Amino acid sequence: MSALFSPLRVGGLELTNRIVIAPMCQYSAVEGRMTDWHLIHLGHLALSGAALLMIEATAVLPEGRITYADVGLWDDATEAAIARTVEGIRRWSDMPIAIQLAHAGRKASTEVPWKGGAQIPPGHANGWLTVAPTAVPYEQGEHPPAALDREGLARVRDAFAEATRRAARLGIEAVQVHGAHGYLLHQFLSPLSNQRDDEYGGSLENRMRFPLEVFDAVRAAFPADRPVTMRVSGTDWVQGGWDIEQTQAFARALEARGCAAIHVSSGGLDPAQRIPVGPSYQVPLARAVKAETRMPVIAVGLITAFDQAEAIVGTGDADLIALARTVLYNPRWPWHAAAHFGAQVKAPEQYLAARPREHRDLFDLGH
């Protein structure tokens, strides 16, 4: 049997295979509210044959959005918009749905990528004052963020918990806390962005404190039988920054608090990063975290080939693989991988006629 198409239990969630649709920002929301684009985008990926569909980075506060066009979950209107999207997907797919909850910190208030992605300063249309652990901007010349005080920390922590309660009401099967890619929780973890002199800065224990407080708040707000996971950057790829040894320590602390899985990518915190991009370039980071924890580990990053994905899972480098750009390019990647390995995937009845003659057993007709 293919390792990639073997089942796996993550917390209380049963996954039919090891393929996850990674959260992918679409920059297509209006005032935090999902639009028909999200139904189209997420809906067709829910027919892909993967085991889990993850909703893109969803801001817990308006100022936590990367751009003005990001999805949010902070009030009844944003909750209702997600509810409409999820209801439409579930009418045609039983794929479990997870959501990634996020706060962009100092990397918020930017233009959408296809218009350059530059910071939009406060006072300009679609711009606002960002927040961070320390009043240090992401790039030189940007408007500096405001350093979060105790009241600000409590507001962010409570917003993560409230968004989690809303996700639970929506019937979302899993929550992922975004602690990677240079966004707010990663900013607390890295000594490059966290220069505080209180109990939230300095030592590794102190820098982990706020991200762990947020995780605890999310875990407490979500039903106990549904998993809460974490996305981390395994390294900043900058000398003196966050690195894999600190990531391993963070993973151990998360596991002790009931984290159900950890999703390992890298970078995003500092423009000085030098990333050795290539096929499976982040898999060694996932492998290093897996060596230090019993949690399922998700690997991501230029995973494009079927045998490549099979090797990652089959050798134990990671327990699951996540697809992002690969599945945008080929939304039926899991179908094709299953055909390659002689495995089966779920497919909608409307698509059964697409079954290739040479792969008559490709579709699981028992569901």
Side-chain angles (χ1 to χ4, degrees):
M1 176 183 243
S2 161
L4 192 62
F5 287 91
S6 61
L8 181 71
R9 186 179 182 88
V10 177
L13 186 61
E14 293 285 351
L15 301 180
T16 57
N17 59 55
R18 308 301 182 91
I19 305 168
V20 173
I21 305 294
M24 291 176 277
C25 290
Q26 297 297 293
Y27 311 103
S28 300
V30 177
E31 296 181 352
R33 301 189 300 270
M34 280 189 171
T35 63
D36 287 347
W37 173 257
H38 297 93
L39 179 59
I40 294 169
H41 165 68
L42 294 169
H44 85 100
L45 293 177
L47 305 177
S48 67
L52 180 67
L53 174 67
M54 298 197 69
I55 294 172
E56 66 189 80
T58 301
V60 299
L61 288 167
E63 62 269 26
R65 292 173 294 170
I66 305 166
T67 78
Y68 55 86
D70 282 20
V71 170
L73 184 54
W74 60 70
D75 62 10
D76 292 347
T78 52
E79 181 181 344
I82 294 178
R84 286 192 297 273
T85 302
V86 169
E87 180 184 1
I89 295 168
R90 286 186 169 141
R91 192 172 295 128
W92 302 107
S93 172
D94 64 357
M95 185 183 295
I97 300 174
I99 190 168
Q100 185 185 68
L101 298 180
H103 191 301
R106 69 181 187 178
K107 291 182 73 176
S109 187
T110 63
E111 184 54 90
V112 296
W114 51 85
K115 293 184 179 180
Q119 185 192 55
I120 302 175
H124 290 63
N126 297 321
W128 59 87
L129 178 63
T130 64
V131 298
T134 314
V136 178
Y138 172 67
E139 288 200 83
Q140 189 174 6
E142 290 186 341
H143 193 284
L148 285 164
D149 58 15
R150 291 185 180 277
E151 182 179 342
L153 292 172
R155 182 169 183 261
V156 171
R157 185 172 55 244
D158 292 348
F160 269 95
E162 177 59 21
T164 301
R165 285 187 283 271
R166 291 181 182 277
R169 282 202 298 269
L170 290 165
I172 298 294
E173 281 97 337
V175 164
Q176 183 176 92
V177 180
H178 200 347
H181 302 164
Y183 299 128
L184 183 64
L185 299 185
H186 185 183
Q187 291 161 29
F188 272 90
L189 292 170
S190 176
L192 299 176
S193 48
N194 184 348
Q195 298 170 19
R196 298 173 73 101
D197 57 7
D198 61 4
E199 67 268 37
Y200 292 101
S203 68
L204 175 59
E205 180 183 7
N206 284 359
R207 285 182 280 114
M208 293 194 308
R209 190 181 309 278
F210 185 64
L212 291 175
E213 287 180 358
V214 168
F215 177 85
D216 288 344
V218 169
R219 180 60 279 177
F222 207 48
D225 61 338
R226 299 189 221 174
V228 175
T229 71
M230 192 91 180
R231 180 79 174 260
V232 297
S233 280
T235 176
D236 289 338
W237 299 111
V238 179
Q239 186 72 29
W242 184 252
D243 56 27
I244 190 59
E245 290 77 20
Q246 293 173 89
T247 303
Q248 290 171 320
F250 187 48
R252 290 191 294 267
L254 286 167
E255 184 174 27
R257 284 164 168 78
C259 188
I262 188 165
H263 190 161
V264 184
S265 51
S266 67
L269 183 106
D270 194 297
Q273 65 187 13
R274 295 293 179 265
I275 304 177
V277 176
S280 298
Y281 71 102
Q282 295 175 139
V283 172
L285 301 171
R287 182 192 310 128
V289 172
K290 186 167 171 56
E292 293 292 322
T293 180
R294 296 185 300 274
M295 287 186 291
V297 174
I298 307 169
V300 68
L302 284 182
I303 300 171
T304 59
F306 309 140
D307 290 327
Q308 174 193 15
E310 175 74 14
I312 291 168
V313 176
T315 60
D317 283 346
D319 300 284
L320 302 111
I321 58 105
L323 303 177
R325 285 168 289 184
T326 295
V327 82
L328 289 183
Y329 184 73
N330 179 6
R332 298 292 178 264
W333 191 97
W335 286 21
H336 301 154
H340 180 75
F341 293 115
Q344 288 188 322
V345 289
K346 293 182 181 179
E349 294 174 335
Q350 294 90 333
Y351 286 180
L352 293 181
R355 180 175 49 193
R357 193 167 300 211
E358 65 272 26
H359 301 295
R360 301 306 297 172
D361 296 325
L362 175 61
F363 295 146
D364 183 353
L365 304 180
H367 297 274

